[in-house]
Every structure is written in structure tokens, then in C-alpha cells.
Amino acid sequence: MITLHWLYALAGAMFAAFAILSALDRSHGKRFGNAAFWGLMALSLLGGDAIGDFGNGLLVLGLAGLAGFGFIGRSHPPTTSVEQRQGWSDRLGNKLFLPALIIPLTAFIGTLAYNYTPLGSFGLIEAKRETYVFLGLGVLLAIGSIFAWLRPPAIAPLQEGRRLIDAIGWAIVLPQMLASLGVLFAAAGVGDAIGSLTRMVIPEGSIFLTVAVFGVGMAIFTMVMGNAFAAFPVMTAAIGVPLLIQGYGGDPAVVGAIGMLAGFCGTLMTPMAANFNLVPAALLELKDQYGVIRAQFATALPLLLVNILLIYWLAYR
């Protein structure tokens, strides 16, 4: 049976390759820092179960130390030549994006076929993991199609992947860490404290005010923690479940789904969501590193209001 661990192994092998290529790159001034960082990422994916909680904790501290003290940096590995890339662009144009479309199409079609045809009865894939498996398969098929079509150097996909991931840097790990932080906050009782404060401030029976506090709270906690997935367990434990769902009988699907959208409004307005807001500015070499955030404010605020109104209207109509 194909399980999620197969994908962990695939991703771990990729990060291990990045680590090896970084260590061998003599032109990169921070090659050993990058090699250590991506090596630790590979270890977490390939052997996280074996090293245990304490080992994983040390691993995270290692990642934070390497990033915090500036031991990692951008790389510029040689892959294809400028002339080759320009030639493909002139000759093929937008057709170059076709391999990228293989990934979502494989995930979409594969998931539907597995769940709605007899294919699923064979039990080839771990339950509820089929989309992830077909997503990974789509990546492999896309890479294979590129080799068959363009015939780049054998090492080009890994070198290009290393170039891109080095440009993103430590921010690639931020969503996982912030999501873990949200679980820790919930376990520490932060949600209970916020829920108690909400009951003290908002009069009993004020459904709309409670919905508004929930939506705004999702956005604010997302801005602080950088990730709506980190804010969700805190605000759901504080207001979503005890007040909006159990207290006032709101639709759990509406509260949960649109509550997440309210959190995503906070994602648009915070530098803590570095992978969304700071990385694009860095990759595009914008003069204003917060330019993406400034451009998104005008969308995020009215969208937050719309989400609050939708929760109230759909969950309690």
C-alpha cells in the first residue's frame, strides 16, 4: 500500500540532493550552511519518526540557528545556458507551461478515478491520502515529460529546484512551524482564555458581535502568527466551537470554512506570512520589501467584512 510516508521519502530525497549539491558548489560562499539546513530538512522527512520528539526538537533548533545567524544564502547553480532558455522561449512560448499543468490534472483526475471507479477497491493507497499520492505522481510525470520533450541536462531539475528553494530560504519552513505553534497555543489554554474574555465583553445572545469577534480574531491571530492554520485551533477553541456552534447552533461547516477565509485576510496583511508576502518581493527584486502587503490591504479589509457577513448569514439563516 502506498502511504504518506512514501511522499515524505520522496521529499526527503529531494532535500538530501539539495544538501549534497550545496556542499559540492564551490562557487557558493555559504554552501556548508545551506548543506546543513537542507540536510536537516531531509533528516526530518526521512527519519523524523526514528529520532523522536526530542530529536525533532533539536533539529528545529538547528534550523532556527542556521537561519537566524545568517549561515544560509542564495545560490546560482549552472543548469541550462541562457541561449538554450531563450531558444525554448522563442520557439515554444506559453507551451512551456504545459508540463506544470500535468501536476494539478493528475491530482484531480487521479483522485476522482480512485474514489468513483472500481480502482479504489484494490486498496492501493492509504485511505484519505489519494490526493497527496496523485499530486506526487503528477510531479514525477511532469519531470518525465520535460526530459522527453526538452531533453535538459540530467541534473537540471535538481539544480533549478535548489536555486529556487535557496532564493526562498528559511521561509519555506515557516508554515509548518507556525501551524505547530497554533497547536501549542491551543494546548496551553490560550483559546480558553480568549473565550472567557469574549464572554465577559460581549452580551449573551449577541450572535453578530460574536461572529465579528471571531472573524476579526482569526485575521489578527493570523497576522501575529503568520498562518491561518496556526490561528484556527486557537480561535476555534475560544469562540468557534463553544459559542458559535454549541452555544448559538451555527453550522460547523460554515463557521470553519469561512472562518479560515477570514484568517486568510490576515495573511494578506502581515510580514509574518513571509512565504506569501516577503518572498515574492525578494524574488521580483522590488524596491519596497513590503510592497506586496501594501497592495493587498485594499482587498483584505473589505474581504474580511464580507466573510464576517457570510458567516452570520449562512450559519444562522
Side-chain angles (χ1 to χ4, degrees):
M1 177 184 290
I2 301 174
T3 68
L4 203 57
H5 288 280
W6 288 44
L7 296 181
Y8 289 155
L10 180 63
M14 178 189 70
F15 281 112
F18 292 160
I20 294 171
L21 292 173
S22 295
L24 297 176
D25 187 359
R26 295 181 180 276
S27 66
H28 188 9
K30 297 182 177 180
R31 58 176 176 148
F32 292 117
N34 280 30
F37 192 88
W38 302 125
L40 288 175
M41 282 293 296
L43 177 60
S44 71
L45 290 163
L46 294 172
D49 292 343
I51 63 178
D53 293 341
F54 184 74
N56 281 295
L58 293 177
L59 188 150
V60 170
L61 291 176
L63 291 173
L66 289 168
F69 288 103
F71 289 118
I72 62 175
R74 288 193 177 195
S75 63
H76 302 281
T79 53
T80 53
S81 67
V82 175
E83 291 76 15
Q84 281 179 303
R85 293 194 292 271
Q86 187 63 49
W88 287 332
S89 177
D90 294 339
R91 181 163 50 92
L92 301 173
N94 290 332
K95 293 179 181 178
L96 288 170
F97 292 100
L98 290 176
L101 297 177
I102 293 175
I103 302 173
L105 284 175
T106 303
F108 178 70
I109 295 173
T111 301
L112 290 180
Y114 191 83
N115 286 292
Y116 295 101
T117 69
L119 181 63
S121 62
F122 293 100
L124 300 175
I125 301 174
E126 180 183 358
K128 299 182 180 180
R129 305 298 187 191
E130 54 272 4
T131 301
Y132 300 109
V133 171
F134 283 111
L135 184 66
L137 177 61
V139 171
L140 296 177
L141 291 176
I143 294 173
S145 71
I146 290 173
F147 276 114
W149 184 26
L150 302 178
R151 302 186 184 281
I155 200 68
L158 288 174
Q159 290 284 34
E160 284 294 338
R162 178 168 74 94
R163 179 188 60 79
L164 179 60
I165 208 166
D166 283 349
I168 298 173
W170 58 265
I172 197 75
V173 192
L174 195 59
Q176 296 94 312
M177 289 191 171
L178 291 173
S180 301
L181 184 62
V183 176
L184 290 175
F185 273 28
V190 175
D192 295 335
I194 295 174
S196 299
L197 182 62
T198 302
R199 292 185 185 90
M200 292 173 57
V201 174
I202 299 178
E204 186 175 354
S206 301
I207 299 177
F208 180 76
L209 283 179
T210 307
V211 170
V213 170
F214 175 68
V216 173
M218 276 293 301
I220 291 176
F221 261 82
T222 299
M223 292 176 70
V224 171
M225 304 171 78
N227 193 309
F229 291 100
F232 187 74
V234 176
M235 292 307 300
T236 302
I239 300 174
V241 172
L243 296 180
L244 295 180
I245 296 174
Q246 295 178 345
Y248 299 131
D251 187 330
V254 172
V255 172
I258 304 181
M260 282 294 292
L261 293 178
F264 294 149
C265 294
T267 303
L268 300 174
M269 301 184 287
T270 177
M272 287 296 291
N275 52 324
F276 293 110
N277 300 330
L278 298 187
V279 169
L283 293 177
L284 296 173
E285 298 181 354
L286 301 181
K287 293 181 179 179
D288 183 1
Q289 65 173 329
Y290 301 115
V292 174
I293 298 174
R294 299 183 202 281
Q296 291 173 164
F297 255 93
T299 300
L301 292 176
L303 188 59
L304 175 59
L305 176 60
V306 169
N307 286 324
I308 290 172
L309 294 174
L310 282 174
I311 293 175
Y312 181 70
W313 179 48
L314 295 176
Y316 300 100
R317 61 178 179 177

